[in-house]
């Protein structure tokens, strides 16, 4: 899952980027409002973390601009703690959730997972497809009731496939979702992850479609 983070405070931004990446998300971080505003139009993000006070363009303006242009990505705004007016204004402008500073990384992560789930029409905390169950919150994977250990990137690929079960995902879409801009991507990275996942989950857990993509099918 790919996160767009717009936060000018270096400490908070760095902490969020590092922390969320350790938890298996890929994060593109912008400190300038205008750059962050533009970024949403350049890559397929699953969720946005948006600070309100920003240089260049403030968070509320950014949010209004996106919603006006029809961008529907879920947005979690970061507000000053206890500032009720800011929260209400944010939600009125199309934010999906808010969090007051200071916050715990765990809480940001939980909220982001909930937003991603909801935007995918997934209301149950667990996703399942045939004999595989995945919990996006604690990143645990079970096959026939037995836990399967996956690497962080394998987890992202599996989560993506399960969130989009019964739909074909192209290699390009998967690649765009699993790597942020600051990571080097090898040309066969997606194939390698799928190959490793097949070793762990059995080769039939996913079907290759005409060399262009992959699908996880129910039934
Ligand atoms: Ca700020």
């Amino acid at each position: 899952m790919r996160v767009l983070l717009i936060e000018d405070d270096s400490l908070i931004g760095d902490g969020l980027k590092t922390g969320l990446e350790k938890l298996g998300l890929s994060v593109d971080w912008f400190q300038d409002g205008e750059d962050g505003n533009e970024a949403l139009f350049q890559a397929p993000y699953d969720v946005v973390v948006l600070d309100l006070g920003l240089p260049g363009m403030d968070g509320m303006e950014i949010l209004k601009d996106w919603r006006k242009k029809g961008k529907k990505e879920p947005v979690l705004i970061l507000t000053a703690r206890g500032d009720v007016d800011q929260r209400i204004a944010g939600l009125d402008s199309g934010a999906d959730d808010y969090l007051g500073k200071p916050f715990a990384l765990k809480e940001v992560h939980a909220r982001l997972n909930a937003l991603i789930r909801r935007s995918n029409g997934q209301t149950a905390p667990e996703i399942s497809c045939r004999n595989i169950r995945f919990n996006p919150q604690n990143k645990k994977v079970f096959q026939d009731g037995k836990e399967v250990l996956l690497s962080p990137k394998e987890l992202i690929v599996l989560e993506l496939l399960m969130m989009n079960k019964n739909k074909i995902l192209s290699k390009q879409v998967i690649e765009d979702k699993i790597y942020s801009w600051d990571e080097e991507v090898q040309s066969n990275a997606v194939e390698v992850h799928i190959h490793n996942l097949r070793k762990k989950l059995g080769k039939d857990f996913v079907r290759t479609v005409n060399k262009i993509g992959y699908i996880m099918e129910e039934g």
Side-chain angles (χ1 to χ4, degrees), residues 1 46-47 74 109-127 134-138 159 163:
M1 299 289 124
D46 298 285
V47 70
H109 185 232
R111 304 266 186 134
L112 294 184
N113 276 325
L115 288 176
I116 293 171
R117 227 168 39 224
R118 251 192 277 153
S119 72
N120 283 288
Q122 192 86 43
T123 43
E126 242 186 24
I127 315 173
F134 174 69
N135 182 326
Q137 190 52 48
N138 59 22
E159 179 168 21
M163 289 267 199

Side-chain angles (χ1 to χ4, degrees), residues 7-9 51-54 101:
E7 164 64 78
D8 61 322
D9 184 295
D51 180 32
L52 291 180
L54 291 166
K101 294 178 186 178

Side-chain angles (χ1 to χ4, degrees), residues 2 5-6 13 50 56 94 101 103 109 148-149 179-180 200 212:
R2 192 160 170 182
L5 167 64
I6 310 176
L50 179 64
K101 294 178 186 178
F103 43 76
H109 185 232
V148 182
L149 298 176
Y179 292 101
S180 57
K200 294 179 181 176
I212 56 158

Side-chain angles (χ1 to χ4, degrees), residues 152-204:
K153 292 287 191 223
E154 288 163 12
L155 275 170
I156 304 180
V157 175
L158 181 70
E159 179 168 21
L160 208 54
L161 287 164
M162 291 191 78
M163 289 267 199
N164 294 285
K165 63 183 173 187
N166 302 317
K167 277 188 242 166
I168 298 170
L169 286 182
S170 71
K171 277 180 212 165
Q172 190 59 51
V173 165
I174 298 175
E175 189 179 297
D176 286 348
K177 294 273 192 180
I178 59 180
Y179 292 101
S180 57
W181 276 319
D182 49 5
E183 288 177 282
E184 286 262 1
V185 188
Q186 283 173 345
S187 61
N188 64 343
V190 174
E191 280 102 325
V192 171
H193 293 311
I194 294 280
H195 175 80
N196 292 333
L197 279 167
R198 280 185 163 135
K199 277 207 277 192
K200 294 179 181 176
L201 297 168
K203 72 176 180 21
D204 295 330

